[in-house]
């Protein structure tokens, strides 16, 4: 399960539309969530609309919050979208196996098994979260809150039973050849997260769309490498997540 959490405070102004980039992510099985960070309600109508449209196109959740509650919001969005993604997968399998996606229409015993499976998968499924952070000039006073949210998100992921890994990017990149810069690759260890945003050259540009595309390419490469490592799925995996639980 792969997610992107985009944290920003304004409108994109460089490159392709981030809405188009988010739609591309969803077509690749990557959910895009967006959190708009404000201090004194300075986010205009255009910014709010863009945030909502990016999340909608990316199949994710959008929230616009004060920087003081950013930490709770990042954790909430992550877990909520995990549950939503699993629910969608379960509904699809129910339609294939039983001709219905309505859990309530199942026999009580079957319904209990399905609900239990959803709860278990929410905690045990492998989860890879790419955090994409807007570090344009207007975000400077909000970065301490972003750092705190990132640390707490890692602690929250560590509490899950399943594999949970975090990769962190910021944009615009300091390298002129890239739109987004990777600050840390997939990690499960809090100690490996560097002291981000230190000596950043904060710019006025906000290349949100190109930055999203760069993160998507990173995730795609990771997925390709994982598939090569694992090889073909076993027959038991091909049967689906519910085949052993619904009778």
């Amino acid at each position: 399960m792969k997610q992107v959490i985009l944290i920003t405070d304004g409108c994109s102004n460089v490159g392709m539309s981030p809405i188009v980039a988010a739609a591309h992510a969803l077509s690749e099985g990557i959910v895009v969530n967006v959190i708009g960070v404000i201090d004194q309600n300075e986010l205009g109508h255009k910014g709010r609309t863009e945030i909502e449209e990016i999340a909608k196109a990316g199949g994710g959740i959008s929230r616009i919050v004060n920087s003081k509650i950013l930490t709770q919001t990042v954790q909430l969005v992550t877990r909520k979208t995990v549950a939503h993604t699993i629910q969608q997968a379960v509904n699809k399998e129910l339609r294939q196996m039983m001709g219905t996606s309505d859990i309530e229409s199942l026999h009580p015993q079957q319904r209990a098994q399905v609900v239990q499976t959803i709860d278990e998968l929410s905690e045990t499924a492998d989860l890879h979260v790419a955090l994409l952070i807007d570090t344009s000039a207007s975000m400077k006073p909000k970065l301490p809150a972003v750092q705190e949210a990132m640390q707490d998100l890692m602690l929250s992921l560590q509490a899950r039973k399943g594999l949970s890994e975090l990769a962190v990017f910021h944009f615009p990149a300091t390298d002129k050849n890239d739109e987004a810069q990777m600050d840390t690759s997939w990690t499960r260890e809090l100690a490996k997260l560097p002291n981000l945003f230190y000596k950043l050259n904060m710019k006025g540009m906000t290349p949100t769309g190109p930055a999203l595309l760069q993160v998507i390419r990173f995730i795609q490469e990771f997925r390709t490498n994982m598939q090569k490592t694992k090889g073909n799925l076993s027959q038991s995996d091909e049967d689906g997540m519910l085949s052993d639980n619904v009778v």
Side-chain angles (χ1 to χ4, degrees):
M1 191 178 305
K2 298 168 181 64
Q3 297 188 45
V4 174
I5 301 178
L6 167 64
I7 299 179
T8 183
D9 73 339
C11 301
S12 59
N13 55 24
V14 177
M16 74 175 297
S17 164
I19 299 169
V20 174
H24 174 60
L26 184 61
S27 71
E28 293 292 327
I30 303 167
V31 176
V32 179
N33 305 292
V34 191
I35 301 175
V37 188
I38 59 176
D39 275 338
Q40 296 179 348
N41 200 33
E42 76 275 21
L43 191 63
H45 174 72
K46 183 179 179 182
R48 289 175 181 270
T49 300
E50 182 176 272
I51 285 170
E52 292 169 357
E53 291 298 318
I54 294 172
K56 183 179 179 181
I61 298 169
S62 65
R63 294 288 186 274
I64 297 175
V65 299
N66 188 282
S67 57
K68 294 179 180 179
I69 62 170
L70 179 61
T71 295
Q72 302 95 302
T73 304
V74 170
Q75 292 187 29
L76 174 65
V77 165
T78 303
R79 289 189 171 268
K80 189 171 182 178
T81 192
V82 165
H84 178 66
T85 303
I86 290 174
Q87 180 73 62
Q88 287 181 320
V90 168
N91 288 345
K92 181 179 179 180
E93 290 204 20
L94 284 175
R95 282 194 298 270
Q96 294 175 345
M97 295 169 56
M98 310 186 73
T100 179
S101 60
D102 182 12
I103 295 178
E104 296 301 320
S105 67
L106 299 177
H107 184 278
Q109 183 178 359
Q110 294 175 325
R111 184 165 63 244
Q113 290 175 328
V114 172
V115 171
Q116 182 180 359
T117 299
I118 293 173
D119 290 342
E120 289 176 354
L121 286 170
S122 295
E123 285 299 313
T124 61
D126 289 356
L127 176 62
H128 297 87
V129 180
L131 199 60
L132 177 59
I133 302 167
D134 178 357
T135 56
S136 56
S138 60
M139 277 289 290
K140 186 172 183 178
K142 307 177 184 72
L143 289 185
V146 174
Q147 286 181 287
E148 181 181 350
M150 182 185 65
Q151 298 282 345
D152 283 1
L153 175 61
M154 178 59 92
L155 289 172
S156 175
L157 294 179
Q158 287 177 335
R160 297 180 71 250
K161 295 179 181 178
L163 172 67
S164 301
E165 293 186 318
L166 180 69
V168 182
F169 296 77
H170 76 261
F171 70 99
T174 53
D175 187 339
K176 293 182 179 180
N177 295 322
D178 291 320
E179 302 296 347
Q181 180 170 321
M182 184 170 66
D183 295 292
T184 183
S185 186
W186 300 120
T187 181
R188 285 169 275 175
E189 300 179 26
L190 193 63
K192 288 188 176 181
L193 287 178
N195 184 18
L196 302 183
F197 318 128
Y198 181 64
K199 293 183 179 179
L200 275 180
N201 181 20
M202 306 191 76
K203 306 173 184 177
M205 297 185 300
T206 312
T208 310
L212 262 176
L213 281 183
Q214 188 167 328
V215 175
I216 293 166
R217 287 194 295 270
F218 167 78
I219 295 175
Q220 289 172 324
E221 291 173 2
F222 165 76
R223 178 165 51 197
T224 299
N225 292 334
M226 287 292 292
Q227 288 173 343
K228 289 180 180 178
T229 301
K230 290 183 177 181
N232 295 328
L233 291 172
S234 66
Q235 181 62 42
S236 60
D237 290 332
E238 292 174 349
D239 287 341
M241 67 179 75
L242 294 176
S243 57
D244 295 330
N245 297 285
V246 179
V247 295

